[in-house]
Amino acid sequence: MKTDIYYFSGSGNSLYIAQNLSKKMEHSKIISIPHIINKENNIKGEIIGIVCPIYFHNMPHIVRDFIKKIKEAKYLFMVYAGAGELGKGLKATKKLFVAQNIKLSSLFNIPMPDNSTRYGEIPEEKQKEMFNNADKKIEDIVKIVNLKEEHFDSNNTSLFKTYIHPGILCKFLYGNMKTMDKDFFTDENCKGCSICQKVCPVNNITMKDNKPVWNKNNRCQVCCACHDWCPKESIQHSSTKAGIKRYHNPNIAIKDIINSSANE
Ligand SMILES: Cc1cc2nc3c(=O)[nH]c(=O)nc-3n(C[C@H](O)[C@H](O)[C@H](O)COP(=O)(O)O)c2cc1C
Ligand code: SF4
Ligand code: SF4
């Protein structure tokens, strides 16, 4: 059976997982969601996989829009590459598929390094440990998908975190995500290389006088690709913690992130 693995990725974690799943699954290919989101309305497939990060205890808005376009799949699986805190994410995901009348057969969570600066820097050793664990989990996922088994990872977030703090805050932030690009800016280190523009998956950055301008047109996914791939670490956000090294997946080449963007 053919497997189509659709992915959305800002700092490369989800792309890492999608690539490695595909290497281990026969007759499979990976497809960037930004490439097809405005081109296809009837997504059909034999086995369909979706790999994406989790944002504020929920899925990226572009992935939500993508799922609404799925019309048919014999087996559908989803993998979250969150930083370990899914909150209501699993419940929200199941609900969306029920509303779509599409059967979600399995749902997995692979904890990966956090690409926001919230929790500080992730030491290299810790990153390697996470990638090793991710590789093992990928093996397990391949077995489950090959056998077409049903499997649902359990929610790993405490009830307090899910519903009180940061749960309530996450709900608010998730609802306001698309306007968060108003809080990005560059500092004096910007060298005008336009990498930020090229890595933006949704074409939300324009270069003006050799400096990025965020378009503020409700398109931003807050994926942090611009923030995390800037070679000068010059992009700041009102939520960026000062002095923290930016994270992007060290196993992913920047060209693969650029090739995943809607510009391509
Ligand atoms: C705006 C934003 C919100 C996030 N919210 C969560 C969250 O609620 N729970 C979590 O586990 N990780 C959260 N993360 C971390 C990402 O899901 C995680 O680092 C993911 O692996 C990034 O995937 P990518 O490299 O494919 O973009 C958040 C990251 C960003 C940028
Ligand atoms: S990637 Fe960084 S240095 Fe390059 S143009 Fe964008 S902000 Fe400036
Ligand atoms: S502007 Fe930055 S954060 Fe927003 S979608 Fe583009 S790359 Fe992601």
Side-chain angles (χ1 to χ4, degrees):
M1 268 197 190
K2 283 188 196 149
T3 305
D4 295 331
I5 302 171
Y6 293 89
Y7 70 93
F8 177 75
S9 189
S11 61
N13 288 337
S14 307
L15 178 53
Y16 174 84
I17 293 169
Q19 283 180 344
N20 284 296
L21 279 169
S22 182
K23 276 182 203 156
K24 293 182 165 47
M25 285 179 171
E26 283 186 359
H27 312 296
S28 68
K29 63 174 188 281
I30 63 169
I31 303 155
S32 162
I33 291 177
H35 279 180
I36 51 102
I37 192 72
N38 293 322
K39 293 181 191 149
E40 290 184 33
N41 286 319
N42 294 308
I43 309 279
K44 293 180 181 174
E46 293 179 333
I47 301 177
I48 291 184
I50 304 167
V51 188
C52 68
I54 191 126
Y55 295 152
F56 304 128
H57 292 186
N58 216 318
M59 67 183 71
H61 285 277
I62 192 171
V63 174
R64 180 172 292 275
D65 295 343
F66 167 75
I67 288 172
K68 289 183 182 161
K69 292 171 184 251
I70 301 178
K71 302 293 178 222
E72 203 182 299
K74 292 200 170 78
Y75 181 95
L76 203 149
F77 69 99
M78 184 147 177
V79 184
Y80 277 122
E85 198 179 283
L86 297 180
K88 276 188 192 158
L90 296 185
K91 208 171 161 185
T93 306
K94 286 181 189 167
K95 217 169 135 184
L96 180 61
F97 279 99
V98 169
Q100 279 291 105
N101 206 13
I102 295 279
K103 183 175 158 77
L104 177 68
S105 295
S106 54
L107 183 55
F108 306 92
N109 167 35
I110 305 189
M112 295 294 271
D114 195 334
N115 66 337
S116 67
T117 52
R118 287 176 300 176
Y119 303 121
E121 256 167 67
I122 312 130
E124 250 179 62
E125 277 313 303
K126 177 71 191 160
Q127 289 185 29
K128 278 189 192 147
E129 188 189 320
M130 293 183 104
F131 300 142
N132 285 338
N133 289 338
D135 292 345
K136 286 183 202 140
K137 180 97 186 207
I138 287 168
E139 302 271 357
D140 293 344
I141 295 175
V142 172
K143 281 182 201 148
I144 290 170
V145 173
N146 282 343
L147 291 168
K148 316 270 175 318
E149 281 178 353
E150 289 201 9
H151 175 100
F152 290 87
D153 276 355
S154 54
N155 189 348
N156 59 349
T157 317
S158 71
L159 284 178
F160 183 78
K161 279 187 163 185
T162 300
Y163 293 101
I164 311 292
H165 183 73
I168 294 172
L169 183 64
C170 279
K171 194 171 176 198
F172 171 78
L173 292 172
Y174 186 72
N176 288 286
M177 277 187 87
K178 288 183 174 178
T179 57
M180 285 184 189
D181 57 347
K182 69 180 181 345
D183 298 324
F184 280 117
F185 61 97
T186 42
D187 64 21
E188 63 288 352
N189 294 322
C190 173
K191 59 172 181 174
C193 66
S194 79
I195 283 177
C196 49
Q197 183 210 2
K198 291 181 185 136
V199 295
C200 176
V202 291
N203 211 357
N204 186 41
I205 295 178
T206 310
M207 293 301 288
K208 198 172 172 211
D209 301 327
N210 274 337
K211 296 277 175 287
V213 176
W214 284 265
N215 292 336
K216 302 185 188 75
N217 55 10
N218 289 330
R219 211 187 279 170
C220 183
Q221 301 292 317
V222 203
C223 67
C224 284
C226 53
H227 182 267
D228 294 339
W229 290 92
C230 168
K232 304 298 280 180
E233 302 208 348
S234 144
I235 297 182
Q236 316 294 329
H237 189 264
S238 55
S239 63
T240 305
K241 275 198 186 157
I244 306 286
K245 195 173 177 303
R246 309 288 196 269
Y247 167 83
H248 56 77
N249 189 299
N251 307 297
I252 291 297
I254 191 166
K255 72 169 173 38
D256 289 337
I257 291 289
I258 294 174
N259 287 343
S260 305
S261 80
N263 297 316
E264 280 299 306

